[in-house]
Amino acid sequence: MSPDGLGRAGRYQLSQLRALESQSIHILREVAAEFERPVLLFSGGKDSLVMLHLAEKAFWPARPPFPVLHVDTGHNFPEVLEFRDRRVAEASAQLLVASVPEAIAAGRVAEPQGPDASRNRLQTPVLLAAISEHRFDAVFGGARRDEEKARAKERVFSFRDEFGQWDPKNQRPELWSLFNGRHRPGEHIRVFPLSDWTELDVWEYVAAEELEVPSIYFAHRREVFRRDGMLLAASDLLPLRDGEEVFEATVRYRTVGDLTCTGAVESAASTVPEIIAEVAAARVTERGATRADDRTSDSAMEDRKREGYF
Amino acid sequence: MARLDGEPAGRGSAELLRFATAGSVDDGKSTLIGRLLTDAKAVFEDQLDAVERVSRARGDDYTDLALLTDGLRAEREQGITIDVAYRYFATPRRTFIIADSPGHVQYTRNMVTGNSTADLSLVLVDARKGIVEQTRRHAFLASLLRVPHLVLCVNKMDLVDYERDVFEAICDEFADFATKLDVADLTFIPISALQGDNVVQRSASMAWYEGPSLLHHLEHVHIASDRNLIDPRFAVQWVVRPQSASKRDYRGYAGRVLGGIFRPGDQVTVLPSGLTTTVTGIDTADGPLEEAFPSMSVVLRLADDLDVSRGDMLCRPHNHPTVGQDLEAMVCWMTERPLVPGMFVAVKHTTQWVRAVVREVHYRLDVTTLHRDVDAGSLGLNDVGRVSLRATRSLVYDPYARNRETGSCILVSEETNTTAGAGMLLGPA
C-alpha cells in the first residue's frame, strides 16, 4: 500500500473519455475470454471505427482475436467501402462480407418494391444467415443508448434467440460489470461496447486518438435532392419523383449507412473540431436528422431490433 | 497511438458520474429528469417533437416527459416504465449517466440493477406527502448496494408555499430512518421540478435554503475517494500472448484494477495459488504506465513464469482478500422460480464462473420495515435476504462493504441461463 494512497485521492480519477475507454476494453476482453467465436460488425462508420480501435487497444500487443463482418447492402458509399478495406488491412484483420445483393441473387431474400423501397430491412436476414453460417456466438455492434429510445433500453450483453430476436420485455438484469453471456447452441449474444458513449463522446474520442474517418463525414460539395425533409444523394439508385430537383450543396453525413436511406446535413464542418462544435450545438439527434429507416413509425427501431437488426 | 493526456482541457477531461433515480408516476421524477435534460440541452428537438406528438395523440393535456425515457411500444401504450432506461447529459464539468428505474413494475429488481453501478442515488419525496413506504425502500436499496452518495430531493415545494418547516420535518424524519442504514453521505435539497426551483439555479423562493442546487451538487459531489484505493486487487481477464515473431516472448495479464494502486516493482501474490512475484511493467497500447488505479484496463507483466490464468486475483503479499468456498451473501432474487436450499446456481464473480449450491436462507428482509423474517425459507421474485452458498471452487473475494467490485456476484439460472440474482458478499462465515 502506498503511504499517500488516500491523501492523493484526487489524482486517481479517470477523465470521462478514459473511463468510457476502459469500460469498453473490459467488455471486449470479457467477450474474447468467454465466447468461442466472436465477430465485430464493421461498416467503416465512426462507431465501428472507434470499436475497432478499442479492440486493437484491448489486446495489444497482440491482434484482436476475432474477424470483422460487414453487412453490405450493395448501396454503400464507394468512399466508405474504400476506407473500410484500407482500415481493415491496416489492422491486419480478417474481413468477412455478408452481401445483400448475393442473397437477392440466390433467392434467399427479395428485392423490396414500392416507392420507399430500401434494402435496410434485408440486412437482418443476411446478418442472421452469416451468424449461423460462421456459428458466431457473440456479435459486437457499435450501437449506443443515446442514439434512439428503443436502444436506451438495450443491454451491453443482449441475448438473442435462435431467430436472432430481441425481447425487450424479457431482458436479463445487468449488474455491476458482471456480464452474463451464457446461451445455448444456436443462440447468440449481441454485445455493445459503446453503450454508454454519446455521439459527442465518439467525436471527442476520434479527436483525442487522432482517428481517421471516411471523407463523407466532412463537408463536401455533393449533388443532392430533398425528400421528406432530408437531403439524399443524387444517385441512379434513387429515381426522382415529381417535383424533386437535384442541386449542389455543401453537406456532410452524421451517420454512414445505405445511401438510399441515409440523409446528409447542410454543414461547413470540415475538421473534427468543427464537427465537435456542430454536434455540441446540434438540436436534432443524428438518427432523427438523417435516417429515413427510423422514421417509418414511432417504434421503427424497436420493431427492427426485435427481428434481429443491429 | 495518440495519448488521451493530450486531450483538450475542456470536456475531454471532465469526470463521469453515474446516478440512479427511481420513483412512481406522480412524484415528479420524469419532470425532474426532463428538466435536467432540457436545461443541459441533452434533449433534442426531434425527441421533443415526438413526445409532443404522442402526448397529443393520447389526449394528454401536457407534454409527458416520461415519454423521453419510455422508449418501448408497450411502455408508451400502457403509460408505464418497464425497464431501467439509461439517459445521458453533460455539463462542462461532468458527464452524467442516469439509470432511471420504474417505481412499481419489477421495482426491487430494477432499483438494484440501476444502483449497482451508481455513484449517487437520487430519492424523490413529495413535500405534501412526506416520507412514504417507497422512500424507505429506495433509501434501503441504495444503502444495500452501497451507493456512496444519497440525495433526498423534497419535491413540489411550490405546493407547500416553500415552507422551511415542511422541508425540515421531512429531513428530520428521514435522517432518523437513515440511522438504520449504511449511508456515507446524505444530502437534502428542497426543489420544485415543475417550477425549476433549486434544480439548475438556486431558488429565489427559498432564501432560507443555503445549500446548492441539485445540478450544482451533482457537478461537485466528491467521488474520487469513493473507490477502494487501499487494497490492491486485479482480477486476470485474459492472457496476452502475441503470435507475431517479434513479440513471441511477450506474456502479459490483461484486466481491470479493482482496488488499490499497482506500480512496477510491487511484490504481488497470485491467488488462489499463493505464489508471489514482482510486477515488472504496466502496459497499455499508449505506452507503459508508472501506476495503475481502480477501473483502469491495463496489462501487467510479471517477473516469474508462473501459471496465472483468467479468474486468478493479484494482490499484495500482506493484504489478501478472502479465499473460500463457503459464502455468505445478501441476495436480491430476480426471477419467478424461487431460491430455495438445495438449488444449484451458476455464479459469476470478478472474471470467473463457479457452480454453487444454496445451503440456507437465513432470513428474508422486508425492504420497507427492515424486519427479518427468519421463517421464510426461500426468496421469491424481488425478495432480498441473507443466504449461505457453497461453491464448487474457492472464490477470491472481499466483503462487498469493502469493495463493490470484488464483493459482488451474480447468480445465474442453470436451466434458463437468465440472471436470477444479485449477490453482495459478506465476510467469511
Side-chain angles (χ1 to χ4, degrees):
Chain A
M1 192 194 111
S2 100
D4 53 357
L6 266 189
R8 297 192 317 204
R11 264 181 68 186
Y12 299 115
Q13 187 74 13
L14 292 176
S15 75
Q16 54 116 4
L17 282 183
R18 271 189 178 276
L20 291 171
E21 178 189 60
S22 176
Q23 181 190 22
S24 302
I25 287 175
H26 174 78
I27 293 161
L28 286 152
R29 288 172 174 168
E30 279 300 282
V31 171
E34 292 202 348
F35 291 81
E36 283 173 22
R37 291 168 169 271
V39 68
L40 185 143
L41 291 176
F42 186 76
S43 64
K46 64 184 189 311
D47 303 307
S48 65
L49 284 163
V50 166
M51 207 164 47
L52 181 60
H53 181 72
L54 290 166
E56 290 181 304
K57 283 192 153 191
F59 302 98
W60 184 93
R63 284 204 299 266
F66 36 76
V68 303
L69 172 69
H70 184 213
V71 180
D72 184 356
T73 61
H75 292 168
N76 285 290
F77 292 93
E79 305 91 312
V80 177
L81 289 182
E82 179 271 323
F83 185 87
R84 174 198 77 183
D85 292 343
R86 190 154 51 83
R87 184 65 187 86
V88 167
E90 195 182 288
S92 310
Q94 182 197 358
L95 173 69
L96 304 167
V97 177
S99 162
V100 173
E102 277 176 28
I104 293 172
R108 290 196 299 273
V109 295
E111 182 80 58
Q113 306 296 327
D116 285 317
S118 151
R119 288 179 175 174
N120 182 280
R121 223 176 172 114
L122 297 187
Q123 293 178 99
T124 301
V126 172
L127 169 65
L128 294 176
I131 289 171
S132 140
E133 182 197 336
H134 297 278
R135 291 184 291 124
F136 293 128
D137 53 0
V139 181
F140 289 111
R144 309 185 319 267
R145 289 183 184 137
D146 80 317
E147 270 181 85
E148 204 281 334
K149 55 194 179 310
R151 284 191 166 158
K153 303 264 164 168
E154 181 61 281
R155 298 293 187 265
V156 175
F157 274 41
S158 180
F159 172 80
R160 302 304 163 106
D161 69 6
E162 58 182 311
F163 297 103
Q165 296 181 101
W166 181 58
D167 182 358
K169 287 173 78 173
N170 189 24
Q171 299 197 79
R172 297 174 178 176
E174 205 156 65
L175 297 122
W176 298 291
S177 301
L178 297 170
F179 300 106
N180 174 8
R182 290 169 79 103
H183 61 281
R184 288 178 286 227
E187 299 168 342
H188 71 277
I189 306 287
R190 299 285 173 88
V191 181
F192 302 107
L194 305 183
S195 288
D196 280 338
W197 296 55
T198 64
E199 184 186 12
L200 195 53
D201 293 327
V202 167
W203 280 114
E204 290 188 333
Y205 191 73
V206 165
E209 296 284 284
E210 297 170 4
L211 303 186
E212 203 186 331
V213 296
S215 56
I216 68 168
Y217 281 116
F218 301 105
H220 55 283
R221 297 293 289 173
R222 186 181 284 270
E223 304 255 283
V224 294
F225 66 95
R226 202 174 288 279
R227 179 177 292 173
D228 301 332
M230 286 193 311
L231 293 178
L232 293 171
S235 153
D236 296 343
L237 298 168
L238 289 167
L240 294 182
R241 297 177 195 161
D242 284 350
E244 290 176 345
E245 258 174 51
V246 170
F247 58 97
E248 202 181 86
T250 301
V251 299
R252 70 175 202 88
Y253 286 87
R254 278 176 82 181
T255 66
V256 165
D258 186 309
L259 66 81
T260 64
C261 65
T262 304
V265 291
E266 283 184 87
S267 166
S270 56
T271 63
V272 174
E274 284 170 15
I275 290 176
I276 290 173
E278 189 182 279
V279 170
R283 302 303 304 136
V284 179
T285 62
E286 59 187 310
R287 295 196 77 92
T290 63
R291 294 301 281 258
D293 42 332
D294 290 345
R295 289 186 170 192
T296 47
S297 85
D298 203 36
S299 302
M301 175 65 89
E302 180 181 341
D303 294 344
R304 281 179 299 148
K305 278 180 66 65
R306 281 174 180 274
E307 291 173 3
Y309 187 72
F310 310 128
Chain B
M1 293 183 199
R3 309 276 313 247
L4 281 176
D5 307 352
E7 66 206 2
R11 234 180 56 91
S13 57
E15 289 173 349
L16 191 62
L17 181 116
R18 294 169 188 270
F19 70 97
T21 57
S24 53
V25 188
D26 48 5
D27 61 12
K29 182 189 66 169
S30 300
T31 314
L32 177 63
I33 293 176
R35 183 165 285 280
L36 282 172
L37 294 177
T38 316
D39 288 0
K41 298 192 169 51
V43 174
F44 295 96
E45 282 168 9
D46 54 325
Q47 293 174 315
L48 272 180
D49 285 351
V51 166
E52 277 168 15
R53 201 168 58 234
V54 173
S55 293
R56 254 198 315 277
R58 273 202 325 213
D60 296 345
D61 53 4
Y62 59 96
T63 301
D64 185 358
L65 289 169
L67 292 165
L68 281 172
T69 48
D70 294 345
L72 302 175
R73 184 201 303 272
E75 293 177 318
R76 290 192 301 277
E77 284 170 2
Q78 298 167 38
I80 55 161
T81 310
I82 287 172
D83 199 356
V84 183
Y86 295 89
R87 305 294 311 187
Y88 303 81
F89 72 100
T91 66
R93 197 178 163 88
R94 275 190 179 155
T95 296
F96 300 93
I97 301 177
I98 312 176
D100 182 29
S101 303
H104 300 301
V105 185
Q106 295 284 359
Y107 173 83
T108 304
R109 165 184 152 147
N110 287 312
M111 264 293 280
V112 166
T113 302
N115 275 303
S116 72
T117 51
D119 300 303
L120 180 148
S121 195
L122 198 157
V123 178
L124 270 175
V125 178
D126 184 329
R128 296 167 304 173
K129 295 178 188 159
I131 308 295
V132 295
E133 199 176 291
Q134 187 168 274
T135 322
R136 283 188 273 268
R137 284 200 308 235
H138 284 197
F140 168 69
L141 292 173
S143 91
L144 180 72
L145 272 293
R146 294 266 167 181
V147 180
H149 308 277
L150 185 62
V151 177
L152 189 84
C153 279
V154 180
N155 190 25
K156 307 194 183 181
M157 286 299 293
D158 52 320
L159 300 182
V160 296
D161 299 326
Y162 300 107
E163 283 284 348
R164 179 179 194 158
D165 291 350
V166 174
F167 173 68
E168 287 183 347
I170 291 172
C171 295
D172 288 347
E173 189 187 346
F174 187 82
D176 192 39
F177 172 72
T179 57
K180 295 190 225 169
L181 308 173
D182 279 310
V183 178
D185 172 37
L186 176 58
T187 304
F188 299 98
I189 305 178
I191 65 167
S192 165
L194 194 65
Q195 306 298 331
D197 294 290
N198 287 335
V199 177
V200 173
Q201 303 292 334
R202 291 274 312 274
S203 166
S205 310
M206 290 178 273
W208 48 264
Y209 170 72
E210 288 167 358
S213 71
L214 173 62
L215 184 64
H216 187 275
H217 182 68
L218 293 173
E219 282 189 300
H220 291 85
V221 60
H222 180 67
I223 55 170
S225 321
D226 292 344
R227 281 154 316 150
N228 182 323
L229 295 171
I230 308 283
D231 312 311
R233 301 284 186 266
F234 183 90
V236 175
Q237 234 188 327
W238 173 262
V239 182
V240 183
R241 273 169 310 187
Q243 299 302 309
S244 65
S246 59
K247 302 228 170 76
R248 193 150 288 157
D249 293 335
Y250 187 94
R251 191 183 180 88
Y253 302 96
R256 228 160 32 138
V257 179
L258 303 177
I261 293 152
F262 287 85
R263 297 187 178 89
D266 281 352
Q267 276 219 313
V268 289
T269 300
V270 183
L271 292 175
S273 75
L275 299 169
T276 293
T277 181
T278 306
V279 175
T280 50
I282 303 173
D283 290 344
T284 70
D286 299 317
L289 297 177
E290 286 307 308
E291 53 186 11
F293 52 86
S295 89
M296 289 177 82
S297 287
V298 296
V299 176
L300 299 185
R301 275 182 291 115
L302 303 177
D304 302 287
D305 196 9
L306 306 177
D307 177 16
V308 179
S309 57
R310 177 172 167 85
D312 287 347
M313 180 87 80
L314 306 185
C315 62
R316 300 298 302 275
H318 301 293
N319 182 341
H320 281 199
T322 304
V323 182
Q325 285 175 269
D326 287 302
L327 310 170
E328 290 293 312
M330 293 301 294
V331 168
C332 172
W333 196 243
M334 302 175 154
T335 197
E336 298 283 349
R337 193 182 152 207
L339 173 132
V340 293
M343 179 184 222
F344 272 85
V345 286
V347 175
K348 187 172 187 184
H349 170 259
T350 64
T351 55
Q352 70 172 329
W353 287 94
V354 298
R355 291 185 79 203
V357 63
V358 177
R359 277 279 171 86
E360 195 178 348
V361 177
H362 297 280
Y363 58 81
R364 185 177 60 207
L365 198 64
D366 184 312
V367 298
T368 309
T369 62
L370 308 187
H371 173 74
R372 295 175 178 186
D373 179 0
V374 294
D375 299 322
S378 67
L379 296 181
L381 176 64
N382 290 314
D383 281 348
V384 174
R386 181 166 168 176
V387 173
S388 294
L389 300 158
R390 180 162 172 87
T392 50
R393 281 185 289 125
S394 286
L395 293 188
V396 182
Y397 67 95
D398 292 290
Y400 185 75
R402 186 81 184 162
N403 187 319
R404 290 169 89 189
E405 301 285 345
T406 57
S408 53
C409 60
I410 54 171
L411 313 183
V412 173
S413 160
E414 294 196 323
E415 289 75 38
T416 63
N417 286 333
T418 192
T419 304
M424 286 139 281
L425 296 168
L426 305 164

